[in-house]
mmCIF file of all heavy atoms in Angstrom:
data_model
loop_
_atom_site.group_PDB
_atom_site.id
_atom_site.type_symbol
_atom_site.label_atom_id
_atom_site.label_comp_id
_atom_site.label_asym_id
_atom_site.label_seq_id
_atom_site.Cartn_x
_atom_site.Cartn_y
_atom_site.Cartn_z
ATOM 1 N N LEU A 22 272.062 261.674 73.726
ATOM 2 C CA LEU A 22 270.977 261.966 72.783
ATOM 3 C C LEU A 22 271.276 263.233 71.981
ATOM 4 O O LEU A 22 271.093 263.273 70.755
ATOM 5 C CB LEU A 22 269.660 262.120 73.553
ATOM 6 C CG LEU A 22 268.407 262.412 72.729
ATOM 7 C CD1 LEU A 22 268.106 261.255 71.794
ATOM 8 C CD2 LEU A 22 267.221 262.671 73.647
ATOM 9 N N LEU A 23 271.774 264.268 72.664
ATOM 10 C CA LEU A 23 272.092 265.530 71.989
ATOM 11 C C LEU A 23 273.175 265.347 70.930
ATOM 12 O O LEU A 23 273.096 265.930 69.836
ATOM 13 C CB LEU A 23 272.556 266.573 73.018
ATOM 14 C CG LEU A 23 271.476 267.188 73.911
ATOM 15 C CD1 LEU A 23 272.109 268.055 74.988
ATOM 16 C CD2 LEU A 23 270.500 268.008 73.074
ATOM 17 N N PHE A 24 274.168 264.519 71.231
ATOM 18 C CA PHE A 24 275.285 264.405 70.292
ATOM 19 C C PHE A 24 275.058 263.347 69.220
ATOM 20 O O PHE A 24 275.739 263.371 68.201
ATOM 21 C CB PHE A 24 276.600 264.216 71.059
ATOM 22 C CG PHE A 24 277.115 265.516 71.572
ATOM 23 C CD1 PHE A 24 276.710 266.000 72.807
ATOM 24 C CD2 PHE A 24 277.933 266.305 70.782
ATOM 25 C CE1 PHE A 24 277.137 267.240 73.260
ATOM 26 C CE2 PHE A 24 278.368 267.550 71.228
ATOM 27 C CZ PHE A 24 277.969 268.018 72.470
ATOM 28 N N ILE A 25 274.110 262.460 69.423
ATOM 29 C CA ILE A 25 273.659 261.630 68.300
ATOM 30 C C ILE A 25 272.830 262.497 67.351
ATOM 31 O O ILE A 25 272.921 262.355 66.130
ATOM 32 C CB ILE A 25 272.872 260.407 68.808
ATOM 33 C CG1 ILE A 25 273.843 259.414 69.454
ATOM 34 C CG2 ILE A 25 272.099 259.734 67.664
ATOM 35 C CD1 ILE A 25 273.207 258.217 70.075
ATOM 36 N N PHE A 26 272.056 263.413 67.919
ATOM 37 C CA PHE A 26 271.346 264.402 67.108
ATOM 38 C C PHE A 26 272.347 265.216 66.283
ATOM 39 O O PHE A 26 272.177 265.422 65.080
ATOM 40 C CB PHE A 26 270.519 265.323 68.002
ATOM 41 C CG PHE A 26 269.945 266.519 67.293
ATOM 42 C CD1 PHE A 26 268.814 266.404 66.501
ATOM 43 C CD2 PHE A 26 270.550 267.765 67.419
ATOM 44 C CE1 PHE A 26 268.293 267.509 65.831
ATOM 45 C CE2 PHE A 26 270.042 268.873 66.760
ATOM 46 C CZ PHE A 26 268.903 268.742 65.960
ATOM 47 N N SER A 27 273.425 265.662 66.930
ATOM 48 C CA SER A 27 274.441 266.459 66.241
ATOM 49 C C SER A 27 275.166 265.642 65.173
ATOM 50 O O SER A 27 275.407 266.125 64.062
ATOM 51 C CB SER A 27 275.451 267.008 67.247
ATOM 52 O OG SER A 27 276.496 267.699 66.590
ATOM 53 N N ALA A 28 275.498 264.395 65.507
ATOM 54 C CA ALA A 28 276.262 263.558 64.580
ATOM 55 C C ALA A 28 275.470 263.176 63.340
ATOM 56 O O ALA A 28 276.057 262.858 62.301
ATOM 57 C CB ALA A 28 276.734 262.294 65.300
ATOM 58 N N THR A 29 274.132 263.199 63.417
ATOM 59 C CA THR A 29 273.289 262.765 62.300
ATOM 60 C C THR A 29 272.457 263.896 61.707
ATOM 61 O O THR A 29 271.630 263.663 60.833
ATOM 62 C CB THR A 29 272.342 261.635 62.762
ATOM 63 O OG1 THR A 29 271.524 262.099 63.861
ATOM 64 C CG2 THR A 29 273.129 260.429 63.233
ATOM 65 N N TYR A 30 272.680 265.120 62.187
ATOM 66 C CA TYR A 30 271.858 266.266 61.759
ATOM 67 C C TYR A 30 272.128 266.642 60.304
ATOM 68 O O TYR A 30 273.281 266.716 59.860
ATOM 69 C CB TYR A 30 272.151 267.468 62.653
ATOM 70 C CG TYR A 30 271.459 268.742 62.201
ATOM 71 C CD1 TYR A 30 270.155 269.003 62.601
ATOM 72 C CD2 TYR A 30 272.113 269.644 61.370
ATOM 73 C CE1 TYR A 30 269.514 270.163 62.183
ATOM 74 C CE2 TYR A 30 271.478 270.802 60.944
ATOM 75 C CZ TYR A 30 270.177 271.052 61.349
ATOM 76 O OH TYR A 30 269.549 272.184 60.929
ATOM 77 N N THR A 31 271.069 266.870 59.563
ATOM 78 C CA THR A 31 271.129 267.482 58.237
ATOM 79 C C THR A 31 269.965 268.468 58.142
ATOM 80 O O THR A 31 268.909 268.250 58.749
ATOM 81 C CB THR A 31 271.004 266.442 57.114
ATOM 82 O OG1 THR A 31 269.754 265.753 57.238
ATOM 83 C CG2 THR A 31 272.149 265.435 57.154
ATOM 84 N N PRO A 32 270.122 269.558 57.371
ATOM 85 C CA PRO A 32 269.019 270.527 57.244
ATOM 86 C C PRO A 32 267.744 269.889 56.688
ATOM 87 O O PRO A 32 266.637 270.289 57.052
ATOM 88 C CB PRO A 32 269.586 271.569 56.274
ATOM 89 C CG PRO A 32 271.062 271.454 56.410
ATOM 90 C CD PRO A 32 271.337 270.010 56.674
ATOM 91 N N GLU A 33 267.924 268.904 55.793
ATOM 92 C CA GLU A 33 266.754 268.250 55.198
ATOM 93 C C GLU A 33 266.027 267.366 56.209
ATOM 94 O O GLU A 33 264.797 267.232 56.176
ATOM 95 C CB GLU A 33 267.169 267.395 53.987
ATOM 96 C CG GLU A 33 267.821 268.177 52.855
ATOM 97 C CD GLU A 33 269.269 268.521 53.134
ATOM 98 O OE1 GLU A 33 269.868 267.884 54.043
ATOM 99 O OE2 GLU A 33 269.797 269.450 52.480
ATOM 100 N N GLN A 34 266.792 266.723 57.120
ATOM 101 C CA GLN A 34 266.197 265.827 58.113
ATOM 102 C C GLN A 34 266.880 266.057 59.462
ATOM 103 O O GLN A 34 267.795 265.325 59.842
ATOM 104 C CB GLN A 34 266.350 264.364 57.678
ATOM 105 C CG GLN A 34 265.569 263.393 58.549
ATOM 106 C CD GLN A 34 265.771 261.949 58.117
ATOM 107 O OE1 GLN A 34 266.729 261.615 57.414
ATOM 108 N NE2 GLN A 34 264.882 261.067 58.550
ATOM 109 N N PRO A 35 266.439 267.068 60.211
ATOM 110 C CA PRO A 35 267.094 267.380 61.499
ATOM 111 C C PRO A 35 267.074 266.210 62.476
ATOM 112 O O PRO A 35 268.091 265.908 63.098
ATOM 113 C CB PRO A 35 266.283 268.567 62.023
ATOM 114 C CG PRO A 35 265.625 269.157 60.820
ATOM 115 C CD PRO A 35 265.353 268.009 59.902
ATOM 116 N N PHE A 36 265.901 265.560 62.600
ATOM 117 C CA PHE A 36 265.779 264.437 63.533
ATOM 118 C C PHE A 36 265.862 263.128 62.750
ATOM 119 O O PHE A 36 264.877 262.688 62.153
ATOM 120 C CB PHE A 36 264.459 264.523 64.310
ATOM 121 C CG PHE A 36 264.359 265.727 65.199
ATOM 122 C CD1 PHE A 36 263.727 266.874 64.765
ATOM 123 C CD2 PHE A 36 264.928 265.701 66.470
ATOM 124 C CE1 PHE A 36 263.648 267.995 65.580
ATOM 125 C CE2 PHE A 36 264.844 266.822 67.300
ATOM 126 C CZ PHE A 36 264.212 267.966 66.847
ATOM 127 N N SER A 37 267.060 262.534 62.732
ATOM 128 C CA SER A 37 267.277 261.302 61.971
ATOM 129 C C SER A 37 266.613 260.122 62.659
ATOM 130 O O SER A 37 266.218 260.195 63.833
ATOM 131 C CB SER A 37 268.777 261.023 61.836
ATOM 132 O OG SER A 37 269.328 260.691 63.099
ATOM 133 N N VAL A 38 266.527 259.017 61.935
ATOM 134 C CA VAL A 38 265.950 257.802 62.501
ATOM 135 C C VAL A 38 266.792 257.312 63.678
ATOM 136 O O VAL A 38 266.268 256.735 64.640
ATOM 137 C CB VAL A 38 265.816 256.710 61.407
ATOM 138 C CG1 VAL A 38 267.190 256.294 60.874
ATOM 139 C CG2 VAL A 38 265.060 255.497 61.941
#
Side-chain angles (χ1 to χ4, degrees):
L22 181 63
L23 286 173
F24 280 88
I25 288 176
F26 170 79
S27 176
T29 58
Y30 174 85
T31 60
E33 299 78 17
Q34 189 182 19
F36 296 96
S37 68
V38 64

